[in-house]
Amino acid sequence: MTLEVRKLTAGYRNKIVITDVSFELAPGSIMAFFGHNGAGKSTTLKTILGALSPVEGEVWLDGERIDRLPIPERIARGIRYLPDSRGVFPDLTVEENLDVVARMNAADSGARIAVADVLSMLPLLEARRGSYAGTMSGGQQQMLAFGLALLGSPRCILLEEPSVGLQPDLVEMLFGEIRRICAKHAISAILVEHKIASAMAISDHVLIMNNGAVVFDGPPAKARESNFWEFF
Amino acid sequence: MLFLQLLVDGLVSGCAIGLVAVSFSLYYSTTRVFHVAHAGIYTLGGYLAWYGAMQGIPFAIACALAVAGAAFAGAVIQRFLYDELERREATPLVMLIASLGALAVLQNGVAMLFTPNILQFPNPWRTRMLDLGIASVSYAQVLVAASGLAAFGALMWMSRRTLLGRRIRAVASNPFLAEITRLGPRSVYLAVMAIASAMAALSGIMVGLDQAMQPYTGVLVLLTATIAVIAGGIGSLTGAFVVAVALSVLQNVALILMPGRWSIAATFALFVVFILVKPEGLFRKR
Amino acid sequence: MPLRQLRSLAAAVAAAVVSALPGTLAHAQGQPEILIGALLPLTGPAAPVGLEQQQGVQFAVDRANAAGGIRGRKVKAIFEDSQAKPDVALLSFNRLADLENVPVIITAFSSVTLAIAPLATRKKVVLINPAAQSNKLENASPYLFNTIPLVKDETSAITNYLVNSLHKKTAAIVYENVAAGIDGRDDFKKAFEKLGGKVVAEEPVEFGLTNYRPTLLKVAAAKPDVAFIVITQGHPTFVEQAAQVPGFPVGAGTTFVNPLCCYAGSAGWYQSAIKSGIPPELEKEFNTRFGTKSMGFFAREYFNSTNVALKAIDHLLGKGQALNGENLRAAIFEVKKFGSDIANITFDKTNTAARGVDIQQYTADSRKILATEEAK
Ligand SMILES: Nc1ncnc2c1ncn2[C@@H]1O[C@H](COP(=O)(O)OP(=O)(O)OP(=O)(O)O)[C@@H](O)[C@H]1O
Ligand SMILES: [Mg+2]
C-alpha cells in the first residue's frame, strides 16, 4: 500500500475533530474524499501532511511510519499537498515558481518529474512561463499549484478542492491530467471535492466522512447505490 | 551653488539611509517582524569597524570583519530570539517588544564596551575633499554613496538572479507553501537576517567614517528609513531606496526655504500628506 | 582609570581621617572646630567630577589647618553625596544644615544647587557654587554665591570682544537644539544686538546627530562676519565638517565649545574661558598630595571657593561675631574682594562674582590668550 491511515484521531488544541479514521490507498489509485462542510476532511489531510499531530493512530507511507516526522521529511518521502487557495508564490513568475521548488527538491533520490515534464503535461503553464503567478487568474494559479505538487518524486498527493475557480472544461481537463499522471507514475491521490460526479469519474475508491468519522469506504459503483448522499 | 551642494550631500546621505531602508524592508517583507533592533545592528557595525581601525587594521579589512560580525549578531538574534518566539506563536506585539529589548541591549552594550561618547575613525584620508565641479565631497562621502549603491545593486541582483533570492521572494509571498515545498523558511529567515544586518552595518560604518558615531543615533536613521519603506510601498525594495534618497535630499534642500528646525518637521508633514493621498505607497508591490 | 580613581578615593578617605584627628584634639582643648559642608556627586555617573571637586575642597582645608587653622581653630569639611540628583541632595542638605549645623555648603551642578537654594534661604545657610553656570543661579537665593560668572556674563564678555575689538557686525548662531543651546543662543543674540550687531542666521543642530553639513552650508551662505557656536558634544566632527565648507566664517564661543580647539579646521577661532591660574609649586603640592598629574579646572575652582569661604569666616571671627550663615553672608559682602593666585573674585552688591574672562584664539595645535575681559 502506498498510504495507510490507521485509527487516526486528531483535532485542534483541546478539540478532537476526527476519530478513528482508517483507510488504505493502493499505488496509483485515486480516492475521492467526500463529506459535508466541517466533516473533517481538511483536518484529515492536514494530519497526514503533518501540519497537525495526531492524538492517536498512525500514518504509513510505502511501509514507513511517518506520523512523527516533520512536514519537510514527509514531503521528501513523497507526500504532496495542494491547498485549496494560495498554492503558488505570487511574487515569482511561473518559471521561477517551478524552478525554485524543483531545485530545492532536486537532491531527492530518483527525482522523476522535472520542470520540463510539468510544462509539457500542463501546456497552459508553458504559455505563461514569464508571467508573475500573482497576476494570473484563479484557474491558472490552480494549474500552477498542481504543477508544483508534481515536482520531484511524489508518492501521494493530497488535493484540496482543486476544481475551485476552474471553468467546467478546465475541470475536466485537470481531472483527466490527474488520472493520467497518477496512473503513469504510480502516484496515489486523495481528492477532496464538492464536484462529486467529476471526482467519482476518475476515482478508484470513495471515502465519505460525517462528523469526523468514516461512514463509507468502498468503490465508486457501490457509493452510487448507497444512501450516504443524505449527508450532503 | 548652495543648492547643488545641499543636493549632493542629500544624495550621499540618502544612499546610506536607503541601505538601512532596503535591508529593513527586505527583512520585514520576508518575516513580517518589525525588527527595530536593526538600528542596534547599524550601530554595532560602526563600532566594530572603529575598534578594528583603532587596532591598526586596514580600513577595508576592518570593514569586512565588522560587516561579518554584525551579520553574525543578526543571525544570533534571529535564531535565539525571533525563532524561539515564533515557535511559541508570539503575537506581533510581543515580537516588537522583544525587538525593542534587543535594541536596548545592543545600544547599551555598545556604550558599555566602547564608550557612550561621540567617536571618530582614526583614518586621516577620510576628510580629504574631492571637487566634482558643481559641488565637493569628502572621500568618506564617496565611499558612503558608492557602498550604498553597490550594496543595493548587489541585493537586487541577488533577489532576481540567484536561488537564494527566489527562495526569499517565495517565502515572503507564501510562507506556508514554502514550508510544504521544502524551501526551508527558517533558514531563509536566518539568511535574510544576516544579509540585512550586513547591509545595515555597512551603512553604519560608512556614515561613522564620514561623520562620527554615537550608540543612540541608529534609531533616528531607522525612523527615516521606516518612513521610506512605507512611502515606497511595503515590499518594494526599489521604492524603499528611492524614497529614502528623495527624503534625504528633501530634508537637505528644504533648508534653503526654511530654518533648519523646521525642515525635518516639514518633510515628515509632507510624508503624512503623502500617505493620506497615496496610502499604498509610491511603488506598488507586484 | 579605575585604579587612579581608587587611589584618589583612598587618598581622600585618608585625608578625612587625618584631618579629623587634630580636630578632635582641638575640641578636647575647648576650641570647637569650624565645620564646612560640601554637597558633591561622590557616586553615580558624575562621580569622577565629584571626586576632583572633593580633592579641591580637602586641599584648601588641609592647607588652612597646616597653617594653624583659622584663628587657632581647626577646620573640618563634611562631605555629603548628592549623586548629582536634586532629590538626593535635598536629604543631604538637611543632614548638613540640621545635624551638623554648618554655616556654609559648597555645592555642585545647577540642578542640585537650584533645588536646595530655597531651603538655604529659609535656614540661612550660605551656599557657594564654584562651577555651575546656569543663568537661573543668578537670583536663586540671597544666600547663594556664585564664584564663577554665569553663562550670560561669559557670553557678554566674548561678545564685547567680538564687537569692540574685532569689529564683527554680523553673526550667525549655530546652537544645539536643547535647553543649554537655546539659552546660549538667546544670551548671545541679546548681547550682540545690544552692541549694534545683527544676527543674520540662527541654525539649530539636533542633539545626537553628527551631520552638521547642511547647517554649516547655510551659515556660510549667509556670509556673516562670525559664527557663534553653542554645542556641547561632537566638537571634532563639527570642526572637520566646517573645514569642508568653503567660506565658513571664523567661529567663536564660550567655555561650552572648549573642545573645538586645536584642529587645523578651527585655527583662528575665538573662545572665552573663565580666567584662572595656578602657581606651579601649588599644583605640584596638589599632585603629590593626591597622586594626580595636574590640578584640573574643578579642583582649582573648588579649592579657591573653599578659600573664599574660609577667608570670610576669618573676617567674621576677627570681628568676634558668631559663626552662622547670616553673619557669614554679610561678611562675604564686607570682604568683597577675594584675590588669590587662582582668580580675583569680586562680589560687588550681587551674589555672582565679577571676574576676569580670558579671550583665547586657537591655532592648529594650541590656544593663546589675546585679552582679558571683565565679566559684568
Ligand atoms: N483551525 C481550527 N481550529 C479549531 N477548529 C477548527 C479549525 N479548523 C477547522 N476546525 C473545526 O474542525 C471541524 C472540521 O473542519 P474541516 O476543515 O476539517 O472540515 P472540512 O471537512 O474540510 O469542511 P469543508 O468542506 O468546509 O472544507 C469543523 O467543525 C471546524 O469548525
Ligand atoms: Mg476543508
Side-chain angles (χ1 to χ4, degrees):
Chain A
M1 284 296 137
T2 301
L3 187 75
E4 287 173 66
V5 172
R6 297 179 191 160
K7 294 187 169 298
L8 202 59
T9 299
Y12 306 87
R13 288 192 189 274
N14 40 24
K15 179 175 147 201
I16 301 271
V17 169
I18 55 165
T19 35
D20 239 7
V21 173
S22 301
F23 60 86
E24 292 182 343
L25 215 55
S29 72
I30 296 177
M31 180 180 98
F33 191 5
F34 301 139
H36 62 83
N37 291 121
K41 305 181 296 293
S42 299
T43 306
T44 307
L45 294 199
K46 281 187 220 156
T47 312
I48 297 170
L49 171 68
L52 293 173
S53 17
V55 178
E56 255 177 82
E58 297 167 7
V59 181
W60 292 69
L61 181 71
D62 289 327
E64 183 188 4
R65 190 170 167 186
I66 61 166
D67 54 77
R68 299 286 143 121
L69 296 177
I71 297 177
E73 291 296 309
R74 300 187 197 199
I75 305 298
R77 282 161 177 72
I79 296 285
R80 292 290 184 276
Y81 180 75
L82 179 68
D84 52 357
S85 65
R86 295 185 50 75
V88 302
F89 299 113
D91 286 359
L92 272 59
T93 63
V94 169
E95 193 166 16
E96 288 173 334
N97 264 277
L98 293 165
D99 173 75
V100 72
V101 173
R103 278 161 74 180
M104 290 307 291
N105 290 276
D108 297 347
S109 52
R112 288 172 304 170
I113 302 178
V115 174
D117 303 323
V118 170
L119 289 176
S120 67
M121 282 185 256
L122 304 169
L124 197 144
L125 294 181
E126 174 73 61
R128 311 269 331 224
R129 283 176 83 125
S131 309
Y132 281 91
T135 65
M136 299 201 302
S137 77
Q140 292 166 331
Q141 292 192 23
Q142 199 63 8
M143 286 288 178
L144 176 56
F146 181 58
L148 291 177
L150 288 176
L151 287 167
S153 308
R155 294 291 301 140
C156 177
I157 307 184
L158 316 174
L159 299 126
E160 277 266 23
E161 305 191 36
S163 70
V164 166
L166 291 187
Q167 65 200 48
D169 60 327
L170 281 184
V171 174
E172 295 313 315
M173 185 222 120
L174 178 67
F175 281 20
E177 282 303 324
I178 291 173
R179 175 74 270 176
R180 203 178 58 74
I181 292 165
C182 284
K184 184 176 168 201
H185 297 281
I187 301 168
S188 313
I190 300 179
L191 182 59
V192 170
E193 258 302 338
H194 287 287
K195 288 205 167 65
I196 290 165
S198 308
M200 294 258 276
I202 61 160
S203 303
D204 309 300
H205 181 171
V206 173
L207 196 75
I208 302 177
M209 181 174 256
N210 187 34
N211 288 331
V214 174
V215 291
F216 177 89
D217 184 355
K222 220 173 137 203
R224 279 191 197 93
E225 296 158 10
S226 75
N227 62 346
F228 290 116
W229 304 113
E230 69 196 58
F231 292 118
F232 296 93
Chain B
M1 185 64 210
L2 174 63
F3 172 78
L4 286 175
Q5 185 67 49
L6 285 170
L7 181 73
V8 169
D9 285 347
L11 286 171
V12 170
S13 317
C15 287
I17 298 169
L19 213 48
V20 176
V22 161
S23 52
F24 183 84
S25 173
L26 174 74
Y27 184 78
Y28 178 76
S29 59
T30 312
T31 63
R32 302 284 144 185
V33 174
F34 207 82
H35 174 43
V36 188
H38 207 45
I41 297 286
Y42 169 92
T43 307
L44 179 70
Y47 276 77
L48 288 178
W50 173 85
Y51 182 77
M54 290 305 279
Q55 307 308 307
I57 302 175
F59 178 73
I61 296 172
C63 183
L65 289 175
V67 166
F72 179 75
V76 167
I77 292 178
Q78 178 64 36
R79 176 65 193 78
F80 295 102
L81 188 64
Y82 297 153
D83 258 10
E84 284 305 317
L85 285 174
E86 203 174 290
R87 232 185 284 280
R88 291 170 208 177
E89 296 176 0
T91 61
L93 181 65
V94 170
M95 296 292 250
L96 177 64
I97 291 168
S99 190
L100 282 167
L103 173 65
V105 168
L106 280 170
Q107 288 186 334
N108 293 310
V110 158
M112 254 157 45
L113 271 175
F114 303 99
T115 156
N117 300 327
I118 292 182
L119 287 183
Q120 287 187 303
F121 275 76
N123 314 68
W125 47 264
R126 65 194 181 82
T127 55
R128 239 172 272 157
M129 298 299 281
L130 200 68
D131 195 352
L132 302 179
I134 53 164
S136 49
V137 290
S138 69
Y139 280 30
Q141 279 181 296
V142 174
L143 276 184
V144 170
S147 66
L149 290 171
F152 174 62
L155 179 69
M156 294 311 281
W157 177 83
M158 192 275 293
S159 171
R160 294 285 135 205
R161 295 271 168 264
T162 67
L163 177 61
L164 179 60
R166 281 176 195 182
R167 278 172 75 195
I168 292 172
R169 281 187 291 137
V171 170
S173 61
N174 194 341
F176 176 66
L177 185 64
E179 175 76 24
I180 64 168
T181 51
R182 292 172 77 214
L183 298 196
R186 244 155 247 294
S187 54
V188 168
Y189 293 158
L190 201 63
V192 166
M193 176 60 111
I195 292 169
S197 299
M199 291 177 73
L202 185 63
S203 176
I205 295 166
M206 292 307 170
V207 170
L209 179 76
D210 175 39
Q211 299 166 14
M213 295 182 304
Q214 241 200 342
Y216 305 101
T217 49
V219 177
L220 279 163
V221 176
L222 187 66
L223 180 70
T224 314
T226 319
I227 286 175
V229 170
I230 296 168
I234 290 176
S236 163
L237 298 182
T238 313
F241 194 83
V242 169
V243 174
V245 173
L247 216 57
S248 165
V249 167
L250 209 62
Q251 270 180 16
N252 264 257
V253 172
L255 278 175
I256 294 184
L257 302 175
M258 59 187 93
R261 79 193 101 151
W262 295 116
S263 84
I264 290 179
T267 28
F268 287 158
L270 199 70
F271 163 74
V272 172
V273 173
F274 174 86
I275 284 301
L276 287 174
V277 175
K278 207 166 161 43
E280 75 278 16
L282 203 58
F283 293 73
R284 221 181 55 78
K285 198 178 120 168
R286 208 166 0 238
Chain C
M1 179 67 181
L3 186 67
R4 215 195 88 197
Q5 245 177 42
L6 207 68
R7 252 209 325 250
S8 46
L9 184 67
V13 170
V17 172
V18 168
S19 67
L21 282 176
T24 38
L25 280 178
H27 195 67
Q29 290 157 14
Q31 277 271 42
E33 291 175 317
I34 295 169
L35 298 181
I36 61 172
L39 189 45
L40 309 175
L42 300 175
T43 61
V49 170
L51 292 174
E52 186 185 325
Q53 295 168 338
Q54 187 181 32
Q55 290 170 350
V57 174
Q58 192 63 52
F59 192 44
V61 169
D62 290 351
R63 282 174 56 93
N65 286 334
I70 292 174
R71 302 207 178 243
R73 288 169 67 176
K74 292 288 174 190
V75 184
K76 183 183 170 193
I78 301 172
F79 294 102
E80 281 285 345
D81 187 8
S82 71
Q83 297 175 24
K85 291 178 186 160
D87 50 336
V88 177
L90 284 174
L91 298 175
S92 304
F93 173 87
N94 285 337
R95 222 167 10 246
L96 285 171
D98 299 339
L99 231 59
E100 307 285 358
N101 241 322
V102 298
V104 55
I105 296 175
I106 295 165
T107 68
F109 285 87
S110 296
S111 55
V112 164
T113 310
L114 288 168
I116 60 176
L119 282 179
T121 313
R122 182 138 36 92
K123 297 190 173 169
K124 302 199 163 88
V125 178
V126 169
L127 298 181
I128 293 189
N129 156 39
Q133 286 190 279
S134 165
N135 290 341
K136 294 200 186 87
L137 294 165
E138 185 178 26
N139 297 314
S141 164
Y143 280 83
L144 169 61
F145 290 89
N146 304 303
T147 58
I148 193 166
L150 305 180
V151 174
K152 66 183 177 58
D153 305 322
E154 194 189 329
T155 303
S156 72
I158 175 114
T159 310
N160 276 341
Y161 188 80
L162 292 174
V163 175
N164 297 334
S165 303
L166 299 175
H167 310 292
K168 304 290 185 198
K169 292 187 174 56
T170 57
I173 309 175
V174 183
Y175 63 98
E176 209 163 72
N177 209 358
V178 293
I182 292 167
D183 287 351
R185 172 197 71 188
D186 295 343
D187 288 341
F188 175 76
K189 194 172 180 189
K190 211 166 135 193
F192 194 61
E193 285 175 349
K194 198 169 140 200
L195 295 174
K198 185 164 183 281
V199 174
V200 293
E202 294 173 40
E203 290 296 322
V205 294
E206 294 307 319
F207 185 83
L209 286 189
T210 44
N211 183 13
Y212 303 114
R213 286 198 187 93
T215 309
L216 298 173
L217 283 167
K218 208 176 166 197
V219 165
K223 298 197 193 319
D225 296 337
V226 60
F228 189 80
I229 301 156
V230 200
I231 58 172
T232 61
Q233 53 156 29
H235 300 90
T237 311
F238 186 95
V239 174
E240 212 169 83
Q241 293 177 10
Q244 292 173 342
V245 171
F248 190 78
V250 66
T254 61
T255 311
F256 271 136
V257 297
N258 198 44
L260 287 178
C261 179
C262 314
Y263 297 99
S266 63
W269 291 13
Y270 302 93
Q271 185 213 307
S272 60
I274 306 300
K275 187 178 180 64
S276 78
I278 180 86
E281 58 289 3
L282 189 66
E283 182 164 26
K284 216 173 132 208
E285 189 185 331
F286 180 88
N287 288 339
T288 326
R289 170 78 173 73
F290 295 103
T292 48
K293 283 204 182 65
S294 66
M295 189 171 177
F297 170 78
F298 287 108
R300 286 187 215 182
E301 291 299 331
Y302 277 72
F303 169 72
N304 200 43
S305 296
T306 307
N307 282 337
V308 167
L310 295 180
K311 190 168 175 186
I313 291 171
D314 180 70
H315 174 80
L316 180 150
L317 294 179
K319 291 202 301 177
Q321 286 182 333
L323 176 52
N324 59 37
E326 200 172 0
N327 290 342
L328 185 58
R329 175 175 182 272
I332 291 174
F333 282 121
E334 277 168 37
V335 176
K336 194 168 151 182
K337 282 190 192 305
F338 296 85
S340 77
D341 293 331
I342 296 200
N344 291 320
I345 289 172
T346 308
F347 288 106
D348 194 5
K349 294 192 197 70
T350 75
N351 293 40
T352 301
R355 192 170 155 179
V357 173
D358 282 340
I359 307 297
Q360 309 172 340
Q361 186 174 32
Y362 304 156
T363 66
D365 50 14
S366 68
R367 46 179 104 219
K368 55 178 194 282
I369 295 172
L370 298 179
T372 301
E373 293 271 331
E374 198 63 21
K376 285 217 155 168

